[in-house]
Amino acid sequence: LAVQATTTTCNGTQSTADLTYSWRIFKYGQYEQALVSESADVKKFKLSPLLLEPGSWYLVRARVVHGVGVAAAEAFASVTVTVVRGNLVAAISGGSQQNIRLGELLELDGSQSYDEDYLGTGYNDYDVSVSWTCTQLLPAYSIECPFAVAGKDIDGSIGVIDARNATASVDSMVRVTLTLTDETRSGSSFVELLTVDAAAPVVQISSSTKLEP
């Protein structure tokens, strides 16, 4: 934020001389003494990321004083800042299409999911709930999943797909969805799993060569 201030001289011209600037920030009307501008320019107010609480509103007030002592005169300007919530970003590692072999216990890694309010460093386990769901796409759409699906680990970020006693056949396909939710937000991601024979090889592509453009 930046503030501009001028005074009017005796000859009617505008002047910025002899002005003193200060800032205060209030959260829901309460002065936040710990939130101090980090700008070297006294006419600007700047804070580092993550110092304001998401979902809250603040009043930032600039005070400008002209002169000193009993002859000093002051004026104020203020602005309301609303800190909007970021998105919940669900992410499943390994690509959007994968294989699952009959008789296999497959784990899907959703640990890279995050809350944008934490700058991509995870999410608050106490505020965000994690769920894994499954629907059948092939050979016919059905909300009934042929596999057992459950979350693993304390925060449920690992999805366990149990095809050991599945009713699915080779070439059937399911969609497994990871969803993050809190009181006001939701984010989801999915992966499609193609069922292959238990004897099918596990194939991965890797590269040890650096490709130059």
Side-chain angles (χ1 to χ4, degrees):
L1 300 175
V3 65
Q4 294 179 336
T6 60
T7 57
T8 303
T9 64
C10 296
N11 61 10
T13 61
Q14 300 297 306
S15 173
T16 58
D18 300 322
L19 296 178
T20 303
Y21 300 84
S22 61
W23 296 86
R24 284 195 173 191
I25 184 169
F26 302 82
K27 178 183 178 182
Y28 300 129
Q30 298 296 317
Y31 173 45
E32 295 288 314
Q33 188 173 0
L35 296 178
V36 179
S37 176
E38 301 167 5
S39 175
D41 185 345
V42 294
K43 292 183 287 185
K44 295 182 178 180
F45 184 87
K46 178 182 178 182
L47 291 177
S48 296
L50 300 181
L51 292 181
L52 301 182
E53 182 181 346
S56 302
W57 65 267
Y58 296 81
L59 180 77
V60 183
R61 187 179 70 185
R63 176 175 180 254
V64 183
V65 179
H66 179 238
V68 293
V70 295
E74 63 181 9
F76 298 89
S78 61
V79 62
T80 300
V81 177
T82 301
V83 186
V84 299
R85 301 297 303 270
N87 295 317
L88 292 175
V89 181
I92 303 174
S93 301
S96 60
Q97 293 187 332
Q98 302 181 37
N99 292 340
I100 183 170
R101 292 184 293 181
L102 290 176
E104 178 182 58
L105 195 67
L106 176 66
E107 291 190 354
L108 297 176
D109 184 1
S111 63
Q112 298 304 307
S113 303
Y114 62 93
D115 184 344
E116 289 183 337
D117 289 344
Y118 292 86
L119 287 183
T121 59
Y123 51 86
N124 190 328
D125 298 344
Y126 296 101
D127 296 333
V128 177
S129 62
V130 180
S131 64
W132 293 86
T133 56
C134 174
T135 56
Q136 179 175 283
L137 301 180
L138 296 174
Y141 178 82
S142 175
I143 61 173
E144 298 294 332
C145 182
F147 306 130
V149 179
K152 178 184 175 182
D153 288 350
I154 296 177
D155 61 358
S157 61
I158 304 298
V160 180
I161 318 302
D162 191 349
R164 293 175 296 181
N165 298 303
T167 59
S169 58
V170 173
D171 292 333
S172 62
M173 180 179 288
V174 300
R175 174 176 291 174
V176 177
T177 302
L178 166 63
T179 303
L180 308 181
T181 56
D182 67 5
E183 292 182 350
T184 60
R185 300 172 298 161
S186 177
S188 63
S189 180
F190 67 85
V191 59
E192 294 178 349
L193 301 179
L194 177 65
T195 306
V196 298
D197 189 88
V202 177
V203 180
Q204 293 181 330
I205 298 177
S206 62
S207 174
S208 60
T209 302
K210 182 178 180 181
L211 300 179
E212 299 293 342

